Structure formats: C-alpha cells, structure tokens
Amino acid sequence: MNIVVTGGAGFIGSNFIKYILKKYPDYKILNIDKLTYAGNLDNLKEVENNKNYKFVKMDICEREIEDLITGYDVIINFAAETHVDRAIENPEIFLKTDIFGTFNLLEISRKKKIEKYIQISTDEVYGSIENGSFDETSPLNPSNPYSASKASADLLVLSYFKTYKLPVNIIRSTNNYGPNQYPEKFIPLLITNGIDNKFLPIYGDGLYVREWLYVEDNCRAIDLILHKGEDGEIYNVSSGEERENIYVAKKILEILGKPESLIRFVKDRPGHDRRYSIKFEKLKKLGWEPLFKFEDGLEKTVNWYIENEWWWRKIKEGDFKEYYKKHYQI
Ligand code: NAD
Ligand code: DAU
C-alpha cells in the first residue's frame, strides 16, 4: 500500500509512520509536513534512511501538493494546528490549516481518485459532557476555535462522501500521550517541568477530566480502520481511562520522586471543557481494544522523557521559551 501521511512530523503522525513502516516493510509512505513549531524531523530519525519513506516540506493548503500525490492509494490527514490555548490566542491559522487544508486535500483526493481518505479528528468536536459518554451519532458541539475548526473539517469530509462518493473515514480519538509529544501539552509539560523542579501549572480547580489514550493504541486503531474501516463511517477511539488533571499531576510527581509542592494552580483557560468522554463500541466490533492502562502508559512516558532529554531540551530552550513566558506570565 502507498500512503500519503500529512503532518507526519508531529506527535501522533510520527508515531504512526514508525509503527506502519515496522509492521508492513513493503508499504511506502510519503510524509508531507509544513514543519510548523510542532513539526520536528527528530521524531523520524529512525526511519529517515528507510527506502520506503520520503519526506517533503509543504503546506497542505497549497494546491501544488497535488503534483506529489501520484501513485498513492490512501491519504491520512494528521496535519493541523492542535493546541487549544494557541487557538484561543490566535485562531486564524487554525481556520486556515484545519479547515481550508482539509478542503484542499479532499479536492486532490477526488481528482486523483484516492481509494481512501482518512481524517484524523478529535473527541473535542462533541464538546464537554458532565455524565455519560458520546457516540459517533452525537451532535457536534465544539467550544473553542480549535475544536470548531476540526468539527467544520469533519462536516466537509462527510459532504465529500455524500456528494462525490469519496471513500472516507473520520477518526475521533481522545487525548493521546506518549513519546515525542510537544511539551506545550499537559502531560509532557508537567513531566519536563517536574524534571527541572519548575512549577506544574494546573488550570482552574484541576478537576477537569480527560480520557487518556496511549499513542501506540491509537496507531493500532488507525491501522485497523485503514484496512477494515467501512467507507463513510466515523470511528471513536478511546480508552475508558478517565482521570482528573490534578490526579495526573500528582502521579507524574510520584513517578519522578518530586514533591507535590511543585503544583501551582493558575488562571483557567476560557471556554475550558470540563470533561471529555466517548464510547468506542463501533471500533470494538471491528476488533480493537486499548492495551495500555493509564498508570502503565504514564510510567513508560515519564521514563521516555527522562531518557530523551536531548529531544525536548532543545525545544524548551528554543521557540517554546518565549511562548511559555508569555502564556504563563512568568
Ligand atoms: P502536533 O501538533 O504534534 O503535529 C501537527 C503536525 O502538523 C506538525 O508536524 C505540523 O508541522 C504539521 N502541520 C501543521 N500545519 C500544517 C500545514 N498547514 N501543512 C502541513 N503540515 C502542517 O499534533 P498531534 O498531537 O500529533 O495531532 C495530530 C492530529 O491528531 C491532529 O489533526 C489533531 O487534531 C488530532 N488529534 C490529536 C490528539 C492529541 O491528543 N494529540 C487527540 C485527538 C486528535
Ligand atoms: O481531546 C483531544 C484533544 O486533546 C486534541 O484534539 C488536542 O489537539 C489536544 O491538544 C488535546 O486538547 P486538550 O485541551 O484536552 O489538551 P491539553 O494538553 O492542552 O490539556 C489537557 C488538560 O490539562 C486540559 O483540561 C487543560 C489542562 N491543562 C493544560 C495545560 C497546557 C492545565 O491544567 N495546565 C496546562 O498548563
């Protein structure tokens, strides 16, 4: 199979590329990535010389990427602006990449008669739920410019299935964690701050709930949907591993052997969704189940950051420093 992966230099995309090249030595992957602040070729060092892997630096909004996409069966679109706090501060680029970029890829898929277009979406499109869990038929109710852009993209993808019979799938997963996640996100930020004895910023009362999915479990889910997903279907991917943010912070400090006095409650995020929770019965029927318990995945992740300081230290001392100072006002 010949696959175009967009946004493959980011967290989930790079984990997915490494997973696929290892599992299917005869598959070919073309990775198209703009290399924004979140794109990092260090994530792909172990495959950069693989003869079945190719990287091209380009923006998914550019129509010219069409020229690269000849002889490919599948497009999997991971490329997006992904950080909610940045979307609140500067929404425009989210609308451009997450909506217009998706539109451009759909147009190219239609023209090139792509056999499968997979949109990597998010559980955030359903919005917050205090009790119970959403399924794939639940209404879209996004709360911030990031999730509203992702929801808009999902609607476009579905319209291409209905109107043009483009064979599509949409995958909506919960919060991922694991190796190579940019340290603006909650878990890697807390781990790397903890290692450096810096404070761990907790928004609001810390009782917000996320359902944590180890990135390898998500890669297995995407792999299954790629091979067995029914055209036009949406699949939720989750774990049932719901944890309050304050619990996650304390657990990270426990694994690191650091004191809880490093925890600091800070100003809340506007429009902060209280709880995300989705059902994954549909994917279960296809033959998938998560393998990682949260505490095991978290320990593995903490150890990865301890062992791979070379990877995150240069990010935290580079571009990220300015963002961090401004955002947390320190
Ligand atoms: P990330 O921010 O780590 O990586 C995004 C990648 O996309 C980067 O490599 C970046 O350079 C690239 N990119 C951004 N704009 C681009 C453009 N215009 N053209 C080409 N490349 C561009 O993101 P992630 O956490 O790996 O998320 C990947 C996908 O999964 C996203 O679509 C996101 O919405 C979705 N998702 C993420 C999570 C999560 O917990 N991380 C959960 C559910 C869904
Ligand atoms: O649910 C899937 C989504 O998960 C993805 O679609 C997004 O791309 C991804 O960024 C993530 O969004 P969240 O907003 O849930 O993730 P984040 O890591 O930013 O925050 C997780 C929780 O931790 C959330 O309740 C906010 C809180 N938080 C976050 C940061 C950065 C803090 O308390 N302090 C912080 O400094």
Side-chain angles (χ1 to χ4, degrees):
M1 193 180 281
N2 292 350
I3 308 170
V4 176
V5 165
T6 63
F11 164 48
I12 307 177
S14 63
N15 274 283
F16 180 74
I17 289 173
K18 289 180 278 190
Y19 170 92
I20 289 289
L21 289 174
K22 195 167 167 194
K23 183 165 174 193
Y24 306 102
D26 56 329
Y27 281 21
K28 288 193 173 53
I29 294 187
L30 166 64
N31 175 15
I32 301 176
D33 196 297
K34 182 182 171 185
L35 297 184
T36 65
Y37 76 93
N40 185 351
L41 293 179
D42 280 351
N43 297 353
L44 293 154
K45 270 195 183 312
E46 64 194 77
V47 296
E48 66 189 5
N49 295 320
N50 185 316
K51 64 176 178 17
N52 288 334
Y53 170 73
K54 197 175 154 195
F55 169 71
V56 176
K57 181 174 186 249
M58 228 188 224
D59 189 327
I60 57 163
C61 298
E62 285 179 41
R63 203 52 195 265
E64 291 70 39
I65 61 172
E66 180 180 334
D67 303 337
L68 302 170
I69 303 176
T70 296
Y72 288 91
D73 314 301
V74 177
I75 296 180
I76 310 181
N77 181 27
F78 292 87
E81 289 292 337
T82 62
H83 195 41
V84 174
D85 293 325
R86 292 188 196 246
I88 293 165
E89 284 153 27
N90 179 22
E92 191 172 339
I93 186 69
F94 284 75
L95 273 70
K96 278 191 186 141
T97 291
D98 300 8
I99 305 175
F100 187 80
T102 298
F103 161 71
N104 193 36
L105 293 173
L106 288 166
E107 275 294 282
I108 292 168
S109 302
R110 180 161 83 91
K111 208 166 155 193
K112 296 275 182 175
K113 301 200 169 15
I114 286 293
E115 284 167 29
K116 180 74 97 183
Y117 175 90
I118 298 183
Q119 177 72 0
I120 303 299
S121 183
T122 168
D123 64 347
E124 285 205 26
V125 297
Y126 300 116
S128 191
I129 185 165
E130 294 275 331
N131 299 299
S133 309
F134 293 119
D135 68 21
E136 289 84 352
T137 64
S138 301
L140 301 180
N141 187 23
S143 306
N144 60 65
Y146 160 71
S147 48
S149 302
K150 294 293 288 186
S152 309
D154 283 9
L155 293 177
L156 269 174
V157 173
L158 292 174
S159 80
Y160 271 65
F161 174 68
K162 288 183 192 151
T163 308
Y164 304 112
K165 308 278 175 280
L166 185 73
V168 304
N169 286 124
I170 294 176
I171 304 181
R172 294 178 179 154
S173 88
T174 56
N175 286 60
N176 283 220
Y177 67 105
N180 297 117
Q181 187 169 29
Y182 192 85
E184 67 190 350
K185 303 283 165 40
F186 187 58
I187 287 186
L189 177 70
L190 265 50
I191 296 173
T192 55
N193 275 14
I195 291 173
D196 282 345
N197 300 308
K198 287 189 179 147
F199 78 83
L200 274 54
I202 307 296
Y203 295 159
D205 60 6
L207 301 180
Y208 292 85
V209 173
R210 294 294 181 266
E211 193 176 354
W212 293 100
L213 179 69
Y214 192 67
V215 65
E216 196 179 306
D217 277 335
N218 195 16
C219 292
R220 285 191 305 103
I222 300 167
D223 176 15
L224 183 68
I225 295 161
L226 168 66
H227 292 93
K228 294 210 177 134
E230 208 177 299
D231 290 348
E233 292 298 315
I234 300 167
Y235 293 95
N236 284 348
V237 191
S238 63
S239 61
E241 298 289 288
E242 287 186 33
R243 301 290 184 276
E244 287 175 348
N245 291 342
I246 190 69
Y247 169 87
V248 175
K250 287 182 181 169
K251 201 75 205 168
I252 287 171
L253 290 170
E254 185 190 310
I255 299 170
L256 287 173
K258 302 280 172 124
E260 288 186 7
S261 55
L262 283 175
I263 290 174
R264 192 183 296 175
F265 291 93
V266 299
K267 196 166 155 263
D268 209 348
R269 170 188 280 175
H272 196 171
D273 284 328
R274 193 59 165 170
R275 172 175 174 262
Y276 294 139
S277 181
I278 55 175
K279 294 180 191 156
F280 61 94
E281 303 308 318
K282 206 164 154 182
L283 192 57
K284 224 183 210 171
K285 281 194 194 127
L286 218 59
W288 179 89
E289 270 198 341
L291 296 179
F292 283 86
K293 289 290 299 171
F294 178 68
E295 285 67 20
D296 298 338
L298 187 65
E299 189 156 355
K300 217 170 140 69
T301 304
V302 171
N303 288 332
W304 187 87
Y305 281 85
I306 291 171
E307 285 157 19
N308 290 278
E309 207 170 308
W310 70 272
W311 181 87
W312 57 266
R313 181 74 64 199
K314 54 183 168 185
I315 297 174
K316 286 198 95 172
E317 277 164 15
D319 289 357
F320 182 73
K321 216 172 177 173
E322 207 45 45
Y323 164 81
Y324 185 77
K325 251 168 87 180
K326 201 169 151 220
H327 181 72
Y328 295 94
Q329 296 185 336
I330 43 151

